[in-house]
Amino acid sequence: MDNSPGLNRIEVEALAGIKKRHLMGLNSNTWLVRTMRVLMPLATTMAVASSPAHAEDEHSIYYGSRAGMHLTTVSKSGIGTSKAVIVVKHTPKDAKAYCVEYEQDYSMACVKRTMAEIKVGDRVTANCKKRTWTDVYGQAYAFEGKATSSDLMADYIVRNVASGEILDGSSASGYPTALSIFQELCPGIAK
């Protein structure tokens, strides 16, 4: 192995791979495909392993069902009680996550547009004893237990208090977003 100064181990191994490819008589496309089969899983593993452990808690409240539609948690109080509150903030970092993960747009223009367009409240609240809560739009919901009907795609019955309608479990109904907020505010009830 070449221990050239200024090269890290991966760069040295890549150079060794180029030399080996030349010696093995592989064309560059074949070598590239084989190399990527090895490096892509490694890169994915490294990215997951290097992400902060608190990232899930920091972005546990969602304002929609699309990728990246999350908010930054500022504080939590009374979790699991009749006065549960999670204070949230929509940050440029959250807007960038939406732009990159959903829009596939890496531009600052997308971040600015998303920050201007997304208007959400600064908190979600719950009365865990009554099993009711509000989302970032002020919409109220009630948790009514395990679903027993085969007509629903949902595991639990979640009712929109204003309309009286039961959310059917689809993303279009808002079920995943509403239920995840309830689970953050009142852990252990809807598992």
Side-chain angles (χ1 to χ4, degrees):
M1 185 178 283
D2 183 7
N3 289 324
S4 303
L7 296 178
N8 67 34
R9 183 180 58 81
I10 293 173
E11 291 167 328
V12 170
E13 288 175 8
L15 287 173
I18 292 169
K19 289 177 187 175
K20 184 185 271 185
R21 180 197 82 202
H22 179 72
L23 293 173
M24 293 171 61
L26 297 175
N27 70 39
S28 56
N29 286 343
T30 304
W31 178 79
L32 181 60
V33 168
R34 288 182 181 176
T35 302
M36 293 307 290
R37 284 183 185 152
V38 172
L39 292 179
M40 288 307 290
L42 176 64
T44 302
T45 302
M46 289 173 64
V48 170
S50 67
S51 63
H54 59 76
E56 192 172 310
D57 286 339
E58 188 179 299
H59 301 293
S60 58
I61 302 299
Y62 294 83
Y63 64 88
S65 61
R66 294 179 177 157
M69 287 184 142
H70 57 68
L71 303 168
T72 297
T73 298
V74 175
S75 66
K76 295 181 179 186
S77 63
I79 300 301
T81 71
S82 61
K83 295 181 181 179
V85 177
I86 299 176
V87 176
V88 295
K89 183 177 182 180
H90 189 239
T91 67
K93 185 176 177 182
D94 299 323
K96 180 160 180 106
Y98 169 76
C99 288
V100 170
E101 294 172 26
Y102 182 73
E103 297 282 339
Q104 302 292 305
D105 184 343
Y106 291 79
S107 73
M108 193 62 190
C110 181
V111 172
K112 288 178 181 177
R113 183 177 63 252
T114 302
M115 288 298 294
E117 290 174 0
I118 302 303
K119 302 297 181 203
V120 294
D122 68 346
R123 67 192 62 228
V124 292
T125 62
N127 181 332
C128 299
K129 292 182 194 287
K130 290 184 177 180
R131 298 181 175 195
T132 58
W133 72 100
T134 60
D135 65 12
V136 292
Y137 300 105
Q139 182 64 56
Y141 299 94
F143 179 83
E144 298 182 1
K146 195 100 171 116
T148 55
S149 171
S150 60
D151 293 340
L152 291 177
M153 295 186 290
D155 292 330
Y156 300 100
I157 298 171
V158 173
R159 185 176 303 276
N160 177 317
V161 173
S163 69
E165 291 182 30
I166 294 174
L167 307 184
D168 67 11
S170 68
S171 293
S173 74
Y175 175 86
T177 304
L179 184 63
S180 71
I181 292 170
F182 178 67
Q183 290 170 322
E184 289 295 321
L185 290 162
C186 304
I189 297 173
K191 298 176 184 174

